[in-house]
Structures are given as C-alpha cells and as structure tokens.
C-alpha cells in the first residue's frame, strides 16, 4: 500500500465541497441504508413501481433494437406476475430462474418480487452434478427456463426433485412480439401473460424488508455451491447506498450492463442503482471487449457495471475511434486493481469509480461515495479489522480470549457486527450460516460475521482490499470453490487424490485454478479426456489451467490437504520436479509445461 492511499483529515475535507451538489441524494441513500424496521413494506417491487410512477415514459430497458419505457416494463412485470400467481406462485414460493442476459430475466424477477416470491438465480454456466445440486438445494416449486438453456435443464431434469410439473418456457426472442411455441410438457409463460391486467398488484405493497428476494449461489469456502439469501432489506440498502449515495444516476442516464444477471453485481448493485434514479439499463448478452465501445456509443451510455477482469480486458484492447470522447463518466463494480486504476480512468476519461465491496451472504458493504482512488470505499456498518494468524488460519485472540484490532494501514481480517440494524440473513442452511459467525469477539455475547477477506483500514471508515482467505479464490470475477473442483476431479477414472488451489498469472486479475493430482498406481493421465470431463461438469472459470502430478499428497492431522507449499511453488518448473501441464487459451487439452513455455506465460505471450 502506498502512503498516498491513506486518507488524512486534509484529504477528506477537500472532498466535501464536491459532495455538496449530491448531498440530497446521498442523505436519501443514508435513510434507506439505515432503516431498522425489517417489517417495513419496502422492496424491489416498490422501487420499480416508484420509478414507473415518477418517470413512466423514460427508458427502463434497452437491448439491441428493443426499448421499453418504465411504464411498459412495469405493466409487463404485472402481467407476468398475475400469470404466475394463477399458476400457484405465492408469497415465499421459490422459483428457479434459468435465463441468459435478456430483457425477459428482468421482467420475470420483477414479477416474482411483486408476488413476494423468491427467485433462485441459477448460474447459467453450471452443468451436470453442480447444476443438479443447485436446483435441488433450494427445493423450487416452479421452474422458469429460457429456450437457450432448455437442453441444459433437460439434461439434468430426471435428477431434479419435482421437475415433473410447473415448468415454464420463454422463447429466445422478443417474447412481447412473438411468444413462440413451447416444447411438449412445458407451459409458454409469455402466452400465459397475454391479456392479464397491467395494474400494480396489491401483493406488491405487502412485501417486507425481511422477506427473501433472491437466492444467489456462492461457492463459499467448502463444498458445492451454497444458496445465500438476498432479502429485500439488503436489496433496499444497496438501492440506497449504491444508487442514491454512490452513483446518483438520473432518468437521463444509461447504465451499460454486461455482467451476468445471476450475480448480485447485476441484479442488486446495477439494477438498484438504475432504479434509484429511473435510469435505463442497456443490456448485453455477454461481455465483449471488441464490441464494448461501439455499444457505449450506440446506447449513449454514461455508466457501466464492471468487475476488475473486465477492465483489464478493455485496457488490453488497441485504441479504437469509439473510445475517444466517449459518453461514459462513471462506473460501478468491484475488483479494480490499484495497478490499473489510474491508467483506466485516464485512458477512458472516467470521472468517478464507484468501487464497492459486498458479499451475497454478508451484512456489510463498502461504497466509494467520496471518489477516492484505490479503495473499496466507506461503510456505515459497524466493522473491525482484526489480527489474523495466517499460518494457523485463525484470528488472534489475546489473554482474555478477545480478538485484537490491527493498526491503521495494517492488513487484517474484516469482520462485521451482527445487529438488529445490520442483520445477517446467511444461507438457506442454518449450519453453514453459524459456521461464518464469530462469537465473543470483543465482549461476551457479541456476534460478528466473518467475511473471509483481508483488508486494511486507510482512514475515515474507508478500507482497501488485500486478499481472500481460505479455500476460495477469484478468477474471471467468480468465486471458485476448491472443494467443488476437487470433487469433480475425483470422479475422473484413475485420479486418487486431487488438491486444487489458486495461482497467479502475471498480467491477470485474481488467481486461476491449479490442480495437483495423484494417480492410481499404473495409471497414465488421459489429458484430453480429463479436459472434456471438466468441460462437461464445471463452469469455464472453475476449470484448472495448470496440472501437477504428485507421487504423494501431504495432509494435516485432520486429513486436510497441505496447500501452502503447493501454492508457493505454483507452476514454476524450476521449483517443481513433478510433471507439469497447462491448458492454454483456446486449446481443448493440456500440454506439457516446460521452462520455455513457462517463460512465455510469464512474459504475457498468452492472454488468459
């Protein structure tokens, strides 16, 4: 950390005049983030209906040639809500939603919010065992599946509980113009919504802040994906913090969104920020670095949602005419590395970087409302950064058994206090929720959420991200559970042990996967077959890029894999005498990794 990143009193005071013009919106945001009464009737549905009432003719959603005003979008959501209500969807019903980034996903999520139902946002890259687990975990009563993912769903349907009924299909097209024809055994949701009443439903006004809005899947630190609960209360806090206090968009703004809509970054942070100011969302199916600036110009986008990896891709692109004097003024997201922060702002003329920190399951969020560089921003929540013993993987407790706070600028574990005002909604599994709570931290009886992240305090309730703890690493903007990948590897013929960990590649963000494998005696690794197996069973971001073949796997006394030495040696042939393999970008299998290829990877000859 550079001393220039520390926020002194003088630096903080210099920022206050620039905040004055945004003070009314910022204060409104603080009101929403500070609501204590979880019985209060505030929700995503309320936010949409408010925007539709204030700015009915302003654009709400844009995609390619499609353009929907707030009035039209709200009416569409109401028709879908009544259709789903007629099919038995009620307050608290869990509905699995499998749709790629298109306007229909926003309409379905808005419809479910109006009923007080819960949308389980299925990661569209999941396949096989992981997808089956995710669907069965939340016990959905209804399934809404887009044509683009129909075959994927059908491939696991036989193993999904109660998937023999309440199946709803949406054609992969503009379903308002052409609903299409659903396959046998499926109901066409677009046709069911035709002719339904367009007025707001009475149920919308009954949705409370304590009610669940989304189930968002998170890898966590162990095992298969967990479903974290995003309540309407947490959504409203994001609406206030990111939308009003952070970005402060208006109905004249357009937020360009390429992040997947099964992520909180998209459906909570970006959508909440847009709804707060009745701004439009311009949606793209999947991120494309080469098409980015042409899209920005076409939509006249003033803001975009990012993850750090996306920003790196854009910086790596050659300069194009559309990026010159572009219309973007601000951006909101997380993971922008200090190494490219200023370069990105200067090249593309970005005035404000609203970096944030939050987790789907956590009770704390930071937002860069004061527009400092290299920080996740400010948090009004009660938090502490405590000393952490990395070698023994646990917080340090003093003689009296209480944790110790680190000094300003020193890295430590971020924990956030669980209170009535800052509740912890946790996971659908109570045991997993309890596992991430620290008790008796600074006094007997207190409870704190363990974020699992190392942070440093840089002053004035601002923090700077340092690293992640435990067995989860981030790659391509996604959390990767090593246990999940190890389990998939273990099902491949001939693999006796699999140890997965994250390793860094120069010039990339986060850590990619590496797997150390022990084979059954007499077995040779079929590298092409292994790659095909991983492609079938895992999302692309979770597939290990590097392999190491071990003669023996070291474990602890509790049979946990010892990963420290493996991580340290990584894929360097000078430090590893075992056979090494790499899967290069665009290749279907793994090739031998020798010293020459290692040097080329280190030089950045391949774009991972």
């Amino acid at each position: 950390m550079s001393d220039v990143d520390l926020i002194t009193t003088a630096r903080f005071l210099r920022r206050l005049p620039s905040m004055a013009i945004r003070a009314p919106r910022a204060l409104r945001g603080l009101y929403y983030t500070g609501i204590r009464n979880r019985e209060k009737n505030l929700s995503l549905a309320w936010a949409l209906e408010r925007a539709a009432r204030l700015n009915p003719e302003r654009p709400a959603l844009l995609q390619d040639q499609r353009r929907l005003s707030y009035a039209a979008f709200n009416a569409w959501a109401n028709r879908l809500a009544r259709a789903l209500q007629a099919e038995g969807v009620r307050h608290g019903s869990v509905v699995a939603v499998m749709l790629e980034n298109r306007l229909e996903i926003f309409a379905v999520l808005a419809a479910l919010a109006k009923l007080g139902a819960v949308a389980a946002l299925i990661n569209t890259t999941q396949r096989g065992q992981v997808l089956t687990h995710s669907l069965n975990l939340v016990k959905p009563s209804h399934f809404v599946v887009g044509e683009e993912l129909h075959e994927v769903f059908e491939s696991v349907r036989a193993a999904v509980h109660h998937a023999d009924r309440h199946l709803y299909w949406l054609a992969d097209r503009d379903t308002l113009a052409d609903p299409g024809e659903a396959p046998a055994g499926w109901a066409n949701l677009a046709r069911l919504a035709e002719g339904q009443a367009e007025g707001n439903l009475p149920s919308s006004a009954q949705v409370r802040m304590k009610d669940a809005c989304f189930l968002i899947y998170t890898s966590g630190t162990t095992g298969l994906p967990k479903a974290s609960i995003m309540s309407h209360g947490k959504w409203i806090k994001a609406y206030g913090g990111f939308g009003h206090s952070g970005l402060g968009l208006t109905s004249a703004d357009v937020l360009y969104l390429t992040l997947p809509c099964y992520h909180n970054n998209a459906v909570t942070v970006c959508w909440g920020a847009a709804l707060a100011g009745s701004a439009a969302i311009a949606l793209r199916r999947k991120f494309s670095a080469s098409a980015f600036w042409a899209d920005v110009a076409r939509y006249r986008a003033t803001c975009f949602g990012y993850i750090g990896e996306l920003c790196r891709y854009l910086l790596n692109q050659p300069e194009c005419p559309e990026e010159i004097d572009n219309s973007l003024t601000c951006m909101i997201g997380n993971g922008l590395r200090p190494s490219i922060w200023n370069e990105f702002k200067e090249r593309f003329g970005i005035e404000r970087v609203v970096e944030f920190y939050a987790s789907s399951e956590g009770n704390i969020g930071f937002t860069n409302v004061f527009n400092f560089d290299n920080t996740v921003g400010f948090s009004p929540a009660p938090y502490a950064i405590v000393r952490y013993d990395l070698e023994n993987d646990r917080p340090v407790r003093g003689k009296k058994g209480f944790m110790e706070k680190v000094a300003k600028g020193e890295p430590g574990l971020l924990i956030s206090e669980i209170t009535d005002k800052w509740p912890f909604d946790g996971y659908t599994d109570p045991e997993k929720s309890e596992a991430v709570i620290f008790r008796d931290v600074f006094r007997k009886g207190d409870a704190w959420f363990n974020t699992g992240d190392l942070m440093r305090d840089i002053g004035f309730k601002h923090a700077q991200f340092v690293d992640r703890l435990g067995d989860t690493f981030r790659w391509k903007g996604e959390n990767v559970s090593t246990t999940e990948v190890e389990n998939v590897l273990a099902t491949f013929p001939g693999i006796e042990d699999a140890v997965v960990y994250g390793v860094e590649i120069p010039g990339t963000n986060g850590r990619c996967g590496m797997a150390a494998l022990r084979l059954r005696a007499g077995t040779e690794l079929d590298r092409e077959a292994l790659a095909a197996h991983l492609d079938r069973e895992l999302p692309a971001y979770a597939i290990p890029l590097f392999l190491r073949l071990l003669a023996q796997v070291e474990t602890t006394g509790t049979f946990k894999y010892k990963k420290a030495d493996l991580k340290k040696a990584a894929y360097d042939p000078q430090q590893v005498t075992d056979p090494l393999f790499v899967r290069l970008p665009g290749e279907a299998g793994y090739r031998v990794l020798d010293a020459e290829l290692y040097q080329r990877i280190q030089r950045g000859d391949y774009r991972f």
Side-chain angles (χ1 to χ4, degrees), residues 519-540:
L519 302 180
R520 187 178 300 122
T523 301
E524 284 192 14
L525 182 65
D526 185 336
R527 303 197 299 268
E528 285 69 29
L530 175 59
H533 170 72
L534 294 172
D535 287 343
R536 283 193 304 271
E537 295 296 327
L538 288 172

Side-chain angles (χ1 to χ4, degrees), residues 298-545:
R298 173 162 51 137
Y299 296 120
R300 297 299 298 165
T302 53
C303 180
F304 76 103
Y306 72 88
I307 55 172
E309 194 77 356
L310 184 155
C311 297
R312 186 176 65 83
Y313 288 150
L314 292 175
L315 271 179
N316 286 342
Q317 289 288 303
E319 189 175 289
C320 65
E322 292 90 349
E323 77 179 61
I324 308 300
D325 296 323
N326 67 78
S327 55
L328 291 177
T329 60
C330 58
M331 53 197 273
I332 185 166
N334 61 359
L336 184 61
R337 289 286 183 96
S339 59
I340 65 170
W341 187 297
N342 288 323
E343 182 186 358
F344 192 91
K345 285 178 67 176
E346 290 170 11
R347 174 174 168 180
F348 301 123
I350 304 295
E351 298 167 12
R352 281 197 301 135
V353 178
V354 185
E355 174 87 1
F356 72 87
Y357 168 87
S359 63
S360 300
E361 68 274 30
N363 67 332
I364 186 171
F366 288 78
T367 313
N368 191 20
V369 294
F370 295 99
N371 198 27
F372 287 107
D373 290 334
N374 302 325
T375 175
V376 297
F378 164 88
S379 178
Y383 70 88
I385 299 176
V386 298
R387 204 170 305 283
Y388 196 82
D389 182 346
L390 286 168
E391 187 172 345
N392 293 299
D393 197 23
R394 65 189 179 200
V396 174
R397 288 187 182 260
K399 291 180 180 179
K400 295 183 179 180
F402 298 127
M403 295 187 190
E404 303 171 357
K405 296 181 182 179
V406 299
K408 184 177 178 179
E410 183 182 346
L413 175 66
L414 175 70
I415 60 176
S416 54
E417 190 170 15
I418 299 170
T419 66
D420 290 341
K421 185 176 177 180
W422 300 94
F424 172 56
D425 294 312
Y427 304 103
T428 53
D429 183 339
E431 288 186 13
K432 289 192 167 52
S433 296
E434 185 59 33
V436 294
I437 297 175
F438 289 131
R439 300 193 182 275
D440 303 328
V441 171
F442 298 117
R443 64 182 187 278
K444 291 291 184 183
D446 64 358
W448 294 69
F449 170 67
N450 174 15
T451 66
D453 290 320
L454 292 174
M455 294 276 202
R456 57 168 59 93
D457 174 18
I458 60 173
F460 286 87
K461 293 208 77 178
H462 282 67
Q464 191 174 70
F465 183 81
V466 177
D467 208 349
R468 300 184 68 84
L469 291 174
D471 288 339
T472 297
F473 56 89
R474 280 179 79 78
W475 181 244
K476 303 296 184 184
E478 303 276 2
N479 288 347
V480 181
S481 165
T482 58
T483 306
E484 175 187 327
V485 182
E486 287 164 358
N487 290 340
V488 170
L489 284 165
T491 64
F492 186 77
I495 293 180
E496 288 285 343
D497 285 297
V499 188
V500 176
Y501 43 99
V503 295
E504 292 183 290
I505 302 176
T508 65
N509 279 355
R511 289 174 169 82
C512 72
M514 181 166 182
L517 308 175
R518 183 175 70 87
L519 302 180
R520 187 178 300 122
T523 301
E524 284 192 14
L525 182 65
D526 185 336
R527 303 197 299 268
E528 285 69 29
L530 175 59
H533 170 72
L534 294 172
D535 287 343
R536 283 193 304 271
E537 295 296 327
L538 288 172
Y541 62 80
I543 296 171
L545 297 186

